[in-house]
């Protein structure tokens, strides 16, 4: 088993392999503001629809020529389905992250079962950091979200230091904890094009993105929190997976010339996660050789 079979150097290179986890034991739990609001409003999961929506996502990815790989779901791990958080593929190998919430700490064992030992490049040991806060934007450019909750300054600083040693330009993006992860308010959709809750991100951070040549399409606070509208997955070649209920955002992306694949995933978004959260890219074509 080759040590470097998994590789990404961007959020937008052509996606060939992705890691998911079936939602067999997925539940909404009061661990984030989105799920709390859903449950307070009397919402409940329809498990038949939940399964159907996950299968639709898998079919969408396979239809886009993406090979799907799966973790084994476990009882007592209700958010294992959000594979974005428990590991991070990099240009240098896989990183095992440091999950914050107690109900998620056990996910590390399954991650280490999935990856071969020689595929794991680093393990995060300083503070906390989760994959939803890590954005390997393009070769040489990294942003890490810091809310103090899922990812703290120590965890972000350790992860960033490994990339700075390799000569990358890196930045911490600070935001309030109730947004969970950076991918709730910011995601790349194509090379040098992103969507973001521009009324949430600090103006200095928006200026930094502009200085890096990244154009940002605006998403509202309501779209980000109610619909998980920023939580999308770029497939490369101007294709993006975005939830069907994000009708305005999807129209905006199509107006930019992007092809939007739109599976329905509201059973997941109402629990505080969506397409970006549910997918850890394992391999993308390098933008440096595209």
């Amino acid at each position: 088993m080759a040590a470097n079979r998994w590789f990404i150097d961007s959020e937008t290179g052509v996606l060939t392999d992705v890691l998911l986890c079936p939602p067999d034991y997925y539940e909404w739990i009061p661990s984030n503001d989105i799920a709390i609001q859903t449950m307070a409003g009397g919402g409940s999961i329809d498990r038949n629809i939940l399964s159907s929506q996950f299968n639709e996502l898998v079919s969408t990815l396979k239809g886009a020529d993406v090979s799907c790989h799966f973790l084994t779901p476990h009882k007592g791990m209700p958010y294992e389905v959000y594979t974005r958080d428990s590991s991070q593929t990099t240009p240098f190998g896989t990183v095992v992250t440091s999950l914050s919430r107690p109900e998620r700490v056990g996910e590390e064992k399954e991650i280490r079962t999935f990856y071969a030992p020689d595929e794991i490049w680093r393990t995060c040991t300083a503070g906390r950091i989760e994959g939803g806060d890590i954005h390997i934007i393009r070769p040489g450019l990294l942003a890490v979200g810091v809310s103090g909750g899922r990812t703290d300054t120590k965890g972000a600083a350790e992860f960033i230091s490994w990339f700075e040693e390799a000569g990358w330009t890196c930045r911490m993006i600070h935001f309030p904890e109730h947004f969970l992860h950076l991918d709730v308010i910011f995601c790349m959709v194509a090379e040098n094009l992103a969507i973001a809750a521009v009324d949430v991100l600090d103006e200095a951070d928006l200026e930094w993105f502009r200085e890096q040549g990244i154009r940002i399409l605006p998403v509202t606070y309501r779209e980000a929190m109610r619909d998980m509208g920023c939580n999308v997955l770029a497939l490369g070649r101007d294709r993006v997976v975005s939830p069907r209920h994000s009708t305005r955002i999807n129209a905006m992306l199509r107006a930019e010339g992007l092809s939007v694949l739109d599976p329905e995933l509201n059973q997941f978004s109402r629990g505080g996660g969506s397409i970006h959260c549910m997918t850890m890219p394992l391999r993308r074509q390098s933008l440096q050789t595209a």
Side-chain angles (χ1 to χ4, degrees):
M1 192 174 291
N4 61 347
R5 67 169 176 158
W6 305 137
F7 169 95
I8 70 166
D9 63 7
S10 76
E11 280 276 318
T12 59
V14 173
L15 182 64
T16 64
D17 292 80
V18 69
L19 181 62
L20 304 109
C21 182
D24 297 16
Y25 303 107
Y26 177 76
E27 298 288 347
W28 296 336
I29 60 174
S31 63
N32 64 75
D33 284 0
I34 299 168
I36 289 170
Q37 291 179 22
T38 297
M39 295 167 72
S44 61
I45 293 176
D46 184 316
R47 303 211 69 86
N48 289 330
I49 295 177
L50 179 81
S51 178
S52 175
Q53 290 183 355
F54 182 79
N55 291 338
E56 184 181 358
L57 173 60
V58 172
S59 294
T60 298
L61 292 167
K62 289 182 176 179
D65 297 322
V66 179
S67 295
C68 296
H69 307 259
F70 300 92
L71 296 178
T72 300
H74 294 83
K75 288 183 178 180
M77 297 184 190
Y79 281 171
E80 190 182 7
V81 68
Y82 297 134
T83 57
R84 177 69 58 162
D85 298 325
S86 49
S87 66
Q88 177 64 56
T89 313
T90 80
F92 319 112
T94 295
V95 173
V96 177
T97 58
S98 179
L99 295 164
S100 174
R101 293 286 304 181
E103 68 272 6
R104 302 204 66 183
V105 172
E107 295 175 29
E108 181 178 339
K109 182 178 180 180
E110 176 61 18
I111 283 296
R112 293 188 181 278
T113 298
F114 175 80
Y115 294 106
D118 60 356
E119 292 173 340
I120 296 176
W121 174 56
R122 303 265 189 167
T123 296
C124 298
T125 58
R128 299 295 181 188
I129 184 167
E130 299 185 350
D133 282 314
I134 298 168
H135 289 250
I136 299 174
I137 295 174
R138 63 173 183 254
L141 188 64
L142 170 73
V144 177
V146 179
S147 68
R150 267 61 174 183
T151 296
D152 57 26
T153 301
K154 286 183 178 180
E158 179 185 48
F159 191 89
I160 282 173
S161 70
W162 302 330
F163 283 74
E164 288 180 334
E165 288 171 4
W168 286 50
T169 297
C170 305
R171 185 178 180 89
M172 291 188 196
I173 307 292
H174 294 269
F175 57 90
E177 184 177 347
H178 76 274
F179 290 107
L180 311 182
H181 293 119
L182 182 58
D183 65 5
V184 173
I185 55 176
F186 173 89
C187 263
M188 299 297 297
V189 294
E191 192 170 354
N192 298 325
L193 182 65
I195 58 175
V198 294
D199 52 349
V200 173
L201 290 170
D202 189 85
E203 182 57 39
D205 294 324
L206 292 172
E207 179 59 27
W208 181 80
F209 283 121
R210 287 192 287 266
E211 289 172 353
Q212 310 310 316
I214 297 170
R215 185 163 60 93
I216 294 179
L217 305 174
V219 172
T220 67
Y221 174 94
R222 179 175 295 178
E223 289 171 326
M225 290 295 283
R226 180 193 64 193
D227 300 333
M228 297 295 291
C230 284
N231 202 260
V232 302
L233 178 68
L235 299 179
R237 294 202 298 264
D238 293 331
R239 299 168 299 157
V240 63
V241 186
S242 177
R244 188 169 304 145
H245 56 260
S246 295
T247 53
R248 190 200 68 83
I249 293 171
N250 293 345
M252 177 175 64
L253 295 174
R254 290 182 175 113
E256 291 287 331
L258 301 184
S259 175
V260 178
L261 310 177
D262 57 352
E264 185 55 82
L265 287 170
N266 64 358
Q267 294 293 297
F268 297 94
S269 62
R270 295 175 73 198
S274 191
I275 295 162
H276 197 267
C277 295
M278 296 168 68
T279 52
M280 171 48 64
L282 294 172
R283 183 166 54 232
R284 289 183 184 272
Q285 293 180 11
S286 174
L287 286 187
Q288 292 183 321
T289 58

